Amino acid sequence: MRVAVIGGGPAGLYFAILLKRDRPEAIVTVIERNRPDDTFGFGVVFSDQTLDAFAAADAPSYRAIIENFAYWDDIEIHVRGTVRRIGGNGFCGCSRRSLLMLLHDRARALGVELIFNREATPEDFPDADLIVAADGINSPIRSADEAHFQPNTDPRPNRYAWMGSTRPFDAFTFFFKQRTEGIFIAHCYQYERGASTWVLEMEPETFRRTGLQHATEAESARFMQDVFADELAGHQLITNRSHWRQFPMIRCARWTRGNVVLLGDAKATAHFSIGSGTKLAMEDAIALHAAMLAGGSLADCLTRFEHGRREAVEKIQHAADVSLVWFEHVRRFWPMHPTRFAFGVMTRSKAITYDDLALRAPAFVREVDALFAAEAAGDAPPCMAALQPADSQRPPMFQPLKLRGMRLTNRVVVSPMCQYSAQQGMPTDWHLVYYGARATGGAGLIYTEMTCVSPTARITPGCTGLWNDEQAAAWTRIVGFTHAHGSAKICLQLGHAGRKGATRLMWDGMDQPLPEGAWPVISASAIPYAVQNQVPRAMDRADMDCVVEQFRQAARRGERCGFDMLELHCAHGYLLASFLSPLTNTRRDEYGGSIANRLRFPLQVFDAMRTVWPEDKPMSVRLSATDWADGGISEADVAAVARAFAEHGCDLIDVSTGQTVADAAPVYGRMFQVPFSDMIRNETGLATMCVGSITSADQINTILAAGRADLVALARPHLVDSGFAMRAAADYGVAEILCPVQYQYGRDALMRSAARERADLLELRRRARPKSHGGAGGGDPSHVI
């Protein structure tokens, strides 16, 4: 077997080593364009988990790496004169040059041919059975065949440069520094004695103000030395091709063609803020090696590699995407208390959560809890004040929240979920049981499903309504039960389906038109939701007046029913959302065009509801913060809409996304809508509720503690577990959760068993953590920080 590896970085070298070790008869050649002792960049970072993978893949190269590394367990975050040190992380830094030299030695020992200072293309190796394109982030091989590999390159807006220094570190360190130009960020770590990496980053506006776009390397270094003079502590910054760049997020639709396979940065990149570039490349090599050894034809092996590896790569890229976006919006988080800011840094990629930190750094999490409890009590300390642990150590999800005269006992919300089980808009016994069960399950707030203001406002024939007194009586019974048997408050969500109305029950075909009995539909413009749906009538002033009055009357009935809170549904492509999005509003009158015009009618509806809703009861608005489609509502528009509703008396923005147009392309994932709540809350200062693929108490606490939302709504988890909040309270040892007297024996038993189970789970998690590699391998102890 003849193998040509084009590119002598860690990915190509490591694959050559693994294959030659297990296929000694193979002829393996690595061709590198640079000289053997050339080095660009400074250090690379590996986590304990990655080192475990290296140990399992090739023990000799693993031992060589750990004998030449600097190890640390802590992360330090320096912001506004404060330092937060968080342990239990486990990383090592290694010189990139040393890593390459070690891999060179291991490859030569196995008989791999190394050729340096030579450019190469696949055409140079007509006899090769396999060609590995490990030729880097600007891969000429990928570029030469873009039509096949279909790379998507997204240059991120922040500017960054890699520099070095002689300043030592005993932790992976983040410096955040504000000057008149803006906020500067330094990602720093030691990788060998007397040598540390400094990745310097700033937002584009800050970069523009510095004038560094025209600076030489030396000028850039001098400028950044001035910015971080205190942090450098008398040491200098060192340059090595330290140009200011934008990070390219690269994804390829295909990784292979014929006998050519892309590896490492050539096929996919992950942002440096999670330290995963070299890790990703070397783990690619491990995966390709395993695929080759599994047997079959070369085509089978390469297919096995791509299909088997893609999910893991995309998960890392997703974490990197979320992390880099946090740094792109650092100004958004700058006003936060340093404790919350540090918690946000630690949890930015979703890879580390509240529970992880409680295990790794319990003192830090106690500080986070104390801050949250102080804020919930309304006596949060000034941003720079010393924070003393509060008496209550309840996690954030079990802290109260006050909105006007309504006080929630905790931050867990049962999300609005259509049951499609009403009869002519009338709630039935199903609704009594459904809402009643969740009222006794411990949640702080329960939302009704979207309740429609008229028969023609329904999505389906099974939707609930509040347009007559009989329906009001049924809702009054449900609200009364909720108040009588638990501490949960209940919010009435009112809406109008608009152009998405007159469709079948969800389980009969979501968004599919009724085969018979359909009613006419209206919208901002005469644009159907999908080709099979009705073309709506574009609303005129008379239609608007009618709808405004329908919402007013429904709100008045809702107050008589005893609801604690009222929400206006302006999301998901329904009637009011159809005015807000430019994709569904093409009007040329005063209700179309600018965001102020598109917002005009929804505000008229909200104002009508607010006039009949009691002053001491809160109101919220549900918004789609993105349409997930080109040309849709912008981030600036969403912030403007949120601010406008707040000025008109809205107390909370319920943040959802999408469902505006049928051809939307949402990007799903854990907590995928949280960044939009984060944006609205921290750009506008308004209270928000988030929702969307949030499934655990750990995730709730992570979101709240990081300041990304004030309430967290769960949908599907509450469908199958009405006692979700009660179980979570038991898991965290929170006994002060109201429980119906009929269930108290069960709650007490749950509290006892949950304490044992949590202790067992924590012990399992401790044992499952990757082993610490600090001091492993018997190397020079001075290398271990």
Side-chain angles (χ1 to χ4, degrees):
M1 185 179 186
R2 293 178 179 271
V3 178
V5 179
I6 301 176
L13 283 169
Y14 204 46
F15 172 72
I17 287 167
L18 298 178
L19 187 68
K20 185 66 175 177
R21 182 197 64 195
D22 293 335
R23 295 277 182 85
E25 74 284 359
I27 300 171
V28 182
T29 304
V30 176
I31 307 93
E32 166 59 36
R33 67 170 68 94
N34 297 307
R35 294 170 298 185
D37 56 350
D38 284 346
T39 179
F40 308 107
F42 297 92
V44 296
V45 178
F46 299 125
S47 67
D48 277 337
Q49 186 177 25
T50 301
L51 291 172
D52 280 352
F54 292 170
D58 186 56
S61 59
Y62 161 76
R63 286 193 297 269
I65 291 169
I66 63 172
E67 288 169 1
N68 290 271
F69 71 359
Y71 187 87
W72 64 86
D73 195 57
D74 296 345
I75 292 176
E76 272 195 359
I77 300 164
H78 296 241
V79 56
R80 299 203 306 278
T82 69
V83 181
R84 296 295 185 279
R85 191 175 180 103
I86 299 147
N89 299 285
F91 289 94
C92 84
C94 179
S95 161
R96 178 176 173 82
R97 182 180 184 279
S98 295
L99 176 63
L100 292 176
M101 295 300 103
L102 295 170
L103 295 177
H104 290 169
D105 291 345
R106 175 66 172 146
R108 288 191 186 98
L110 290 167
V112 175
E113 181 185 12
L114 302 180
I115 300 174
F116 295 96
N117 206 22
R118 174 183 158 187
E119 297 284 350
T121 68
E123 290 73 25
D124 296 331
F125 304 96
D127 297 331
D129 298 292
L130 172 66
I131 297 174
V132 179
D135 53 344
I137 200 166
N138 297 313
S139 172
I141 296 173
R142 182 192 67 224
S143 299
D145 205 354
E146 286 193 359
H148 176 79
F149 293 117
Q150 296 180 32
N152 177 33
T153 302
D154 176 15
R156 303 305 304 177
N158 274 15
R159 266 53 172 193
Y160 75 98
W162 288 79
M163 296 189 189
S165 178
T166 54
R167 192 214 140 150
F169 288 97
D170 65 351
F172 192 109
T173 302
F174 292 101
F175 293 119
F176 297 88
K177 197 77 174 283
Q178 186 177 42
R179 300 208 324 176
T180 55
E181 300 93 341
I183 299 170
F184 298 85
I185 308 165
H187 312 238
C188 306
Y189 58 90
Q190 184 165 322
Y191 58 86
E192 64 184 21
R193 179 185 290 178
S196 55
T197 293
W198 288 61
V199 186
L200 304 166
E201 183 180 9
M202 66 191 82
E203 294 176 309
E205 267 304 296
T206 302
F207 184 68
R208 183 188 62 79
R209 294 188 193 106
T210 64
L212 289 173
Q213 59 269 35
H214 305 301
T216 65
E217 287 184 70
E219 290 168 340
S220 291
R222 285 195 294 271
F223 184 93
M224 298 310 295
Q225 280 173 193
D226 182 60
V227 172
F228 290 107
D230 293 339
E231 292 76 12
L232 282 161
H235 294 265
Q236 303 296 304
L237 286 175
I238 303 165
T239 61
N240 184 349
R241 292 197 179 181
S242 302
H243 305 297
W244 293 102
R245 299 175 171 89
Q246 292 174 258
F247 188 85
M249 285 300 298
I250 297 172
R251 289 171 168 82
C252 290
R254 299 186 182 92
W255 296 354
T256 64
R257 181 170 191 181
N259 67 339
V260 177
V261 56
L262 303 180
L263 206 65
D265 285 347
K267 63 151 189 45
T269 60
H271 193 252
F272 57 81
S273 63
I274 65 170
S276 59
T278 306
K279 159 198 164 68
L280 195 68
M282 294 179 69
E283 289 181 347
D284 281 350
I286 293 171
L288 180 58
H289 164 256
M292 295 297 296
L293 260 61
S297 67
L298 179 66
D300 291 339
C301 294
L302 296 184
T303 298
R304 187 182 298 121
F305 163 68
E306 181 164 355
H307 289 178
R309 179 69 177 145
R310 186 174 285 276
E311 182 178 354
V313 169
E314 289 177 350
K315 284 181 179 179
I316 293 171
Q317 287 190 295
H318 178 68
D321 286 354
V322 177
S323 175
L324 72 87
V325 168
W326 192 94
F327 286 101
E328 288 172 358
H329 295 100
V330 67
R331 61 176 174 78
R332 182 182 293 167
F333 314 113
W334 194 249
M336 289 181 171
H337 189 285
T339 299
R340 170 156 297 127
F341 187 94
F343 186 88
V345 173
M346 293 300 299
T347 60
R348 66 192 182 278
S349 72
K350 301 188 292 189
I352 297 174
T353 65
Y354 177 92
D355 281 359
D356 291 329
L357 288 173
L359 182 63
R360 300 178 184 197
F364 175 65
V365 171
R366 286 194 294 272
E367 186 180 343
V368 170
D369 288 345
L371 171 65
F372 202 95
E375 291 178 338
D379 57 355
C383 188
M384 298 306 297
L387 189 65
Q388 298 298 321
D391 292 336
S392 172
Q393 290 301 318
R394 287 178 294 169
M397 67 185 292
F398 290 109
Q399 293 292 343
L401 178 68
K402 193 169 186 292
L403 295 172
R404 297 200 183 216
M406 182 183 76
R407 184 181 184 276
L408 304 178
T409 59
N410 62 63
R411 311 292 181 108
V412 183
V413 180
V414 178
S415 187
M417 291 176 279
C418 288
Q419 299 297 295
Y420 303 110
S421 301
Q423 300 293 329
Q424 297 301 316
M426 180 78 70
T428 65
D429 286 349
W430 173 266
H431 296 87
L432 176 65
V433 172
Y434 169 74
Y435 292 109
R438 280 135 195 90
T440 61
L445 179 63
I446 299 169
Y447 269 74
T448 71
E449 61 197 271
M450 187 176 95
T451 301
C452 303
V453 296
S454 72
T456 57
R458 291 176 296 168
I459 311 166
T460 76
C463 291
T464 58
L466 193 49
W467 63 78
N468 61 44
D469 292 341
E470 291 78 16
Q471 294 161 351
W475 280 118
T476 300
R477 182 184 179 211
I478 292 169
V479 174
F481 185 94
T482 299
H483 289 158
H485 297 288
S487 61
K489 305 300 182 183
I490 185 164
C491 177
L492 169 65
Q493 186 189 76
L494 291 177
H496 190 302
R499 69 180 191 152
K500 296 178 77 174
T503 60
R504 303 180 191 186
L505 303 182
M506 182 179 69
W507 41 83
D508 291 333
M510 188 172 180
D511 296 325
Q512 296 300 309
L514 288 170
E516 56 184 23
W519 49 88
V521 296
I522 56 176
S523 189
S525 301
I527 305 171
Y529 177 66
V531 292
Q532 71 271 16
N533 296 103
Q534 284 188 58
V535 176
R537 185 179 77 255
M539 294 177 70
D540 58 21
R541 184 65 254 176
D543 293 323
M544 293 181 190
D545 291 341
C546 178
V547 169
V548 167
E549 186 59 24
Q550 288 170 347
F551 273 96
R552 189 199 319 271
Q553 293 300 329
R556 182 178 282 117
R557 286 191 175 92
E559 196 279 322
R560 292 171 183 163
C561 293
F563 283 103
D564 303 290
M565 182 174 171
L566 179 63
E567 175 163 290
L568 178 62
H569 201 319
C570 294
H572 298 172
Y574 297 130
L575 180 65
L576 299 179
S578 74
F579 277 83
L580 295 177
S581 174
L583 296 176
T584 51
N585 183 344
T586 58
R587 300 174 72 103
R588 297 184 179 275
D589 60 6
E590 67 270 31
Y591 294 96
S594 70
I595 186 57
N597 284 356
R598 303 199 309 269
L599 180 55
R600 194 184 305 272
F601 178 58
L603 280 177
Q604 290 172 356
V605 173
F606 183 89
D607 288 344
M609 294 167 62
R610 185 77 262 185
T611 60
V612 299
W613 190 249
E615 182 66 22
D616 66 334
K617 289 187 177 183
M619 286 182 64
S620 59
V621 173
R622 170 163 272 203
L623 295 177
S624 283
T626 177
D627 294 325
W628 297 113
D630 291 341
I633 196 165
S634 70
E635 184 175 292
D637 282 356
V638 170
V641 169
R643 288 190 182 99
F645 276 116
E647 290 168 0
H648 285 244
C650 176
D651 305 287
L652 178 81
I653 303 299
D654 175 3
V655 186
S656 189
T657 65
Q659 303 180 52
T660 306
V661 291
D663 59 349
V667 180
Y668 293 114
R670 287 180 301 123
M671 304 180 280
F672 74 105
Q673 294 179 148
V674 171
F676 301 98
S677 168
D678 189 338
M679 180 274 291
I680 293 173
R681 185 182 191 273
N682 293 302
E683 290 284 351
T684 68
L686 305 176
T688 64
M689 181 172 80
C690 65
V691 66
S693 292
I694 301 166
T695 59
S696 71
D698 183 21
Q699 291 172 357
I700 295 173
N701 285 318
T702 303
I703 293 164
L704 294 171
R708 294 180 174 124
D710 298 275
L711 291 172
V712 180
L714 290 84
R716 291 176 180 86
H718 274 125
L719 285 178
V720 295
D721 186 0
S722 60
F724 173 91
M726 193 77 68
R727 294 178 188 277
D731 286 341
Y732 287 100
V734 178
E736 307 88 5
I737 186 166
L738 190 64
C739 175
V741 64
Q742 297 93 331
Y743 291 171
Q744 283 182 0
Y745 284 116
R747 182 200 64 182
D748 294 345
L750 180 63
M751 290 287 175
R752 291 191 297 271
S753 62
R756 293 191 299 269
E757 291 170 2
R758 185 162 182 81
D760 292 343
L761 178 61
L762 289 175
E763 181 58 28
L764 285 173
R765 291 180 69 184
R766 287 190 184 96
R767 292 179 181 179
R769 283 190 60 196
K771 68 180 181 182
S772 170
H773 296 258
D780 180 354
S782 66
H783 287 287
V784 180
I785 298 175

